[in-house]
Amino acid sequence: MKKIIAYNRVERPVLDDLKQRYDVRFFKGIDPAADSEFLHELQMAEGIIGLELPVDENLLNHAPNLKIISNVSVGYNNLDLEAMKKRNIMATNTPDVLNDTVADTVFGILIATARRIPELDQYVKNGKWEIKAVGNDLFGTDVHHKTLGIIGMGRIGKAIAKRAHFGFDMDILYHSRSRKPDVESTFQAGYRSLDALLQESDFVCLITPLTPETEGLIGKREFKMMKNSAIFINGSRGKTVVETDLIDALRNGDIAAAGLDVYTNEPVEPDNPLLTMKNTVTTPHVGSSTHETELKMSELAAENLEAGLNGRKPPNLVDPSVWTETTT
Ligand code: GLV
C-alpha cells in the first residue's frame, strides 16, 4: 500500500475512503520543523493531502518518495512551486467548487460590516435594547446602489460581482491583471487602475491570490486613497494587506470599517488590535467552510491525489509543466 500523509482539513468520509486503498497517516496539525514523527513518515510518503501545509526545500529534503501534494484549498501560496518542480513533485488545488460559497461569505461579511450586524446582535443579547426606536448611533450604511470595487477578477471575483450587480444593484468596478470583456458586459463592470478603483469605490473587496506581486498590495498609501467612508473587505489572504497599516487606517479614520476573514498570522494573535475595534467584523478564515463545500473540496483533492499517485494526470494541476510520464 502506498503511504500518504493526511492532515487537517480532510473531511471524514473522504479520509475513510482513502484508508481503504492507502496507508494513511493522519495528523491533526503539523509543525513541520519540530514534528519528528511527521518527518519520519515523510520519508516514506508518496502523497500529502490537507490544508496549507507550508512546503519548502527543507521539508522536501525529507521526502524522497513524494510525488504529489494535494491542497484542500484553491490557494497554493503555501507551496514552493519552484522547489517542487525541481523534484518533479506535482501540486494540485481545488478550484471552482468553492466559488459560490466564498462569494456568499464575502457578501455576508460585507453586509455584516455595513449594517453592523455583529455589534447589534450583542446589543440585543446583552439587554441594551430599552426603547423601541434605537438611536442613529446604531444605524449602518446602505449596501444597495453603492459602488463595489473588486480587486482580483477571477472565478470568485465574478461570483461576487454577480451577487452585487443582480442582487444589490451595485455599480461594479474591478482591477485585475487582464481585462475581462465578459465581466464588463454581463455585470456592466468598469475596469479601473488600482488607484482609480480605490478612489471611486464605497466598498473595496480584495479577492486576489497571494503571490510575490500581490504581497502587501494594500498598505498605507492605498488606504489613504480610499474614501473616508469606505468599507474594506479582505477575503483573499492576510498578507495581501499590510496589517499594521490597516490598523492605522481604521484608527485614523482613513477608512470607515473593515470586514476580515484573513490575517497576517492565523490563528490571529489574541492581542491583535483588530479584535477590539468597533469598526471591524472578523471571521476565522472560513470563506469556503460550509459542510457541503468542504466535502466537495476534500473529494476533489482526493481525486487529484489518487490520479497523481496512480499515473494519471490530476485534473487540477497547478503547474501542468510538472506533468511528465517520468513522475509515475
Ligand atoms: C481558502 O482560503 C482557499 O484557498 O481555498
Side-chain angles (χ1 to χ4, degrees), residues 9 98 101-102 105 261 285-291 293-294 297:
R9 182 183 311 127
L98 78 182
T101 299
V102 177
T105 307
D261 188 41
H285 199 151
V286 287
S288 56
S289 299
T290 60
H291 293 295
T293 294
E294 287 291 350
M297 289 167 73

Side-chain angles (χ1 to χ4, degrees), residues 98-111 143 146-174 183 187 189 203-208 233-236 287:
L98 78 182
N99 296 346
D100 283 321
T101 299
V102 177
D104 285 353
T105 307
V106 165
F107 235 87
I109 294 171
L110 187 152
I111 295 174
V143 170
K146 294 276 182 75
T147 298
L148 172 64
I150 302 174
I151 303 169
M153 189 48 83
R155 290 166 286 218
I156 298 173
K158 283 184 198 173
I160 295 169
K162 181 177 174 187
R163 284 154 177 75
H165 176 69
F166 293 114
F168 292 83
D169 293 307
M170 297 179 91
D171 291 327
I172 315 286
L173 304 178
Y174 77 101
V183 169
F187 310 121
F203 295 87
V204 174
C205 173
L206 189 56
I207 195 72
T208 178
I233 306 296
N234 192 2
S236 64

